[in-house]
Amino acid sequence: MNVKARISKEWRRRMLFMYIMIAGIASWFLSDGYYFWPEEDKRYQSYSKILDELVESGRAQDADSAPVQIAWQRYAREAGYTSKVPKERSHESIYEQIKIGTVMMIGSLIFLLWIAWNHRRSVWVEGDTVIGASGERVELDSIIATDRKKWKKKGIAYAIYQENGKTKRLCLDDHKFAGCEAIVLEAESRIKAREGA
């Protein structure tokens, strides 16, 4: 028997979607930390100055007062800012955004390398020997049972075999490595043939 189960398109799609999601969130944090939040803090400093001047002069009581709103709208229009009242963004909160974004971006790159590394792996059969994704070698005739508890939901089966008097399991993940089902079926047919003999 000669079978080579390689990375499936479905697994590749899922992993790339997860990578894009993590990298996207990281980019969002980094863009906030390096650009959007510092820019908003600049606007807030201008807004805060207007508010303090109007409250100190007695022309306004607080940030909700009409004179503050009018003065900010006029200033924002002249400065080319959005009219929305900016939030205060402290140096600590800006640094936190950069820190989270950096960690997530590094994590996403490590994840991408892991995906690429997995593309070099496969499960295959040479003659009567199954070679697992981690390089383990199992004789088809040493497989005494299969465990399909996770097969319907996850496409995972385990080939249970004996080696040096110990019972071990070989993972045959058809969701990740398309073609593993042929190996499972071959192992099961050999088990039935031995039981019927």
Side-chain angles (χ1 to χ4, degrees), residues 14 25 57 61 63 65 79 94 139 146 154 168 170 185:
R14 284 190 184 188
I25 294 169
S57 67
Q61 290 184 339
S65 300
I94 290 169
E139 294 299 316
T146 57
K154 297 184 177 180
K168 296 185 177 182
L170 173 68
L185 291 171

Side-chain angles (χ1 to χ4, degrees), residues 149-182:
K149 287 175 191 167
K150 297 182 181 179
W151 187 259
K152 280 188 179 179
K153 289 185 178 179
K154 297 184 177 180
I156 296 173
Y158 294 96
I160 299 160
Y161 64 99
Q162 296 281 334
E163 185 179 79
N164 300 326
K166 292 181 181 177
T167 302
K168 296 185 177 182
R169 299 190 322 163
L170 173 68
C171 182
L172 297 170
D173 187 343
D174 195 63
H175 168 70
K176 184 174 182 179
F177 300 103
C180 278
E181 186 173 17

Side-chain angles (χ1 to χ4, degrees), residues 3-59:
V3 174
K4 189 131 189 173
R6 298 181 183 277
I7 289 292
S8 70
K9 289 179 183 177
E10 177 64 23
W11 186 85
R12 184 185 302 124
R13 263 196 300 269
R14 284 190 184 188
M15 294 304 110
L16 288 176
F17 173 77
M18 286 176 65
Y19 162 72
I20 290 166
M21 187 175 69
I22 296 166
I25 294 169
S27 299
W28 180 22
F29 274 95
L30 289 171
S31 62
D32 275 350
Y34 280 112
Y35 180 74
F36 292 109
W37 282 24
E39 287 297 311
E40 187 171 19
D41 192 54
K42 280 184 197 173
R43 293 194 302 276
Y44 177 79
Q45 296 308 321
S46 300
Y47 169 77
S48 182
K49 190 176 177 184
I50 291 166
L51 173 62
D52 290 346
E53 285 174 1
L54 290 172
V55 169
E56 284 172 15
S57 67
R59 287 181 284 165

Side-chain angles (χ1 to χ4, degrees), residues 2 10 17 28 39 43 47 57-58 61 79 88 91-92 115 120 122 134 142-144 151 162 183:
N2 287 305
E10 177 64 23
F17 173 77
W28 180 22
E39 287 297 311
R43 293 194 302 276
Y47 169 77
S57 67
Q61 290 184 339
E88 182 179 13
H91 293 299
E92 291 79 14
I115 294 170
R120 299 180 62 195
S122 59
S134 299
S142 71
I143 297 171
I144 56 172
W151 187 259
Q162 296 281 334
I183 302 169

Side-chain angles (χ1 to χ4, degrees), residues 66-108:
V68 175
Q69 301 298 321
I70 292 165
W72 170 249
Q73 297 288 333
R74 187 183 315 121
Y75 180 86
R77 192 169 48 251
E78 289 170 2
Y81 293 157
T82 175
S83 60
K84 184 180 176 183
V85 174
K87 292 180 182 178
E88 182 179 13
R89 303 294 187 181
S90 66
H91 293 299
E92 291 79 14
S93 65
I94 290 169
Y95 173 72
E96 190 72 18
Q97 292 292 105
I98 292 169
K99 188 166 74 172
I100 293 168
T102 301
V103 169
M104 287 190 74
M105 189 59 77
I106 291 167
S108 73

